[in-house]
Amino acid sequence: MKSPVYNVQAVPVSKVRANAYNPNSVAPPEMKLLETSIWEDGYTMPVVCYYLPDEDVYEIVDGFHRYTVLLTSKRIREREGGMLPVVVIDKDISARMASTIRHNRARGTHSIELMTNIVAELVQAGMGDAWIMKHIGMDSDELLRLKQISGLAALFKDREFSKALGV
């Protein structure tokens, strides 16, 4: 059996629907970052679906949030022509539920050490705080913490600090 990714289809978003069993949720800042990612890079991963021929509908197994971005972002929907990249798997409902959970749990987490190194490299490449926060989805507190962890004085060169009162 060949992997489904070798058969990506452009499907009208009106023919795609969410499943009723996905326990995953994404916080608003990460949804905004996902929208930015899709705007900047395009859809780089198709949505995994199961095709229901009786209804002529594609039900999502993985990729609900990528689908949601197409529904909620006018600029992306227009650029994509209302089409969503989809791959189809042919499994029964139990196997689809298990697949949804595997996809959700296999995403992993970011290493603080590696994120600190990335921030340091971006700063050294001349990227400002605003650029870093926008393009990698950080708020100012998180960025400051990663700069503090790195201990590199160069990371703070453009930062203003106030003097403590009474000193």
Side-chain angles (χ1 to χ4, degrees):
M1 176 181 114
K2 259 188 154 176
S3 296
V5 75
Y6 296 108
N7 192 24
V8 178
Q9 306 169 47
V11 173
V13 72
S14 61
K15 288 184 146 204
V16 179
R17 74 174 185 209
N19 66 48
Y21 52 82
N22 187 358
N24 194 25
S25 64
V26 173
E30 284 75 21
M31 281 300 293
K32 184 165 177 45
L33 182 60
L34 180 58
E35 196 268 348
T36 299
S37 175
I38 293 170
W39 179 250
E40 295 286 332
D41 303 323
Y43 276 91
T44 58
M45 294 174 42
V47 173
V48 180
C49 293
Y50 173 77
Y51 181 65
L52 299 156
D54 295 343
E55 300 177 55
D56 191 27
V57 169
Y58 295 81
E59 187 172 84
I60 297 171
V61 174
D62 179 65
F64 172 77
H65 298 98
R66 283 170 273 151
Y67 158 78
T68 300
V69 166
L70 190 67
L71 292 178
T72 60
S73 174
K74 182 180 178 188
R75 67 182 184 161
I76 290 175
R77 189 172 51 259
E78 287 176 353
R79 183 190 67 197
E80 301 296 324
M83 304 296 276
L84 188 67
V86 165
V87 294
V88 176
I89 61 172
D90 187 18
K91 298 182 175 200
D92 67 30
I93 186 67
S94 297
R96 293 194 311 267
M97 287 179 175
S99 183
T100 294
I101 301 307
R102 281 194 305 272
H103 279 91
N104 288 346
R105 296 191 72 180
R107 300 231 198 283
T109 59
H110 287 126
S111 156
I112 297 295
E113 181 180 354
L114 292 176
M115 287 300 293
T116 301
N117 293 342
I118 289 169
V119 166
E121 287 184 33
L122 289 172
V123 170
Q124 290 168 352
M127 301 301 149
D129 288 2
W131 190 96
I132 294 169
M133 290 184 297
K134 176 183 177 187
H135 288 89
I136 63 175
M138 289 184 175
D139 62 30
S140 58
D141 289 337
E142 181 180 15
L143 181 56
L144 179 60
R145 280 193 306 274
L146 290 175
K147 286 180 172 185
Q148 289 169 333
I149 290 168
S150 73
L152 295 175
L155 297 179
F156 294 95
K157 71 179 178 161
D158 295 324
R159 192 96 175 161
E160 285 188 32
F161 294 95
S162 60
K163 294 185 180 187
L165 296 176
V167 176

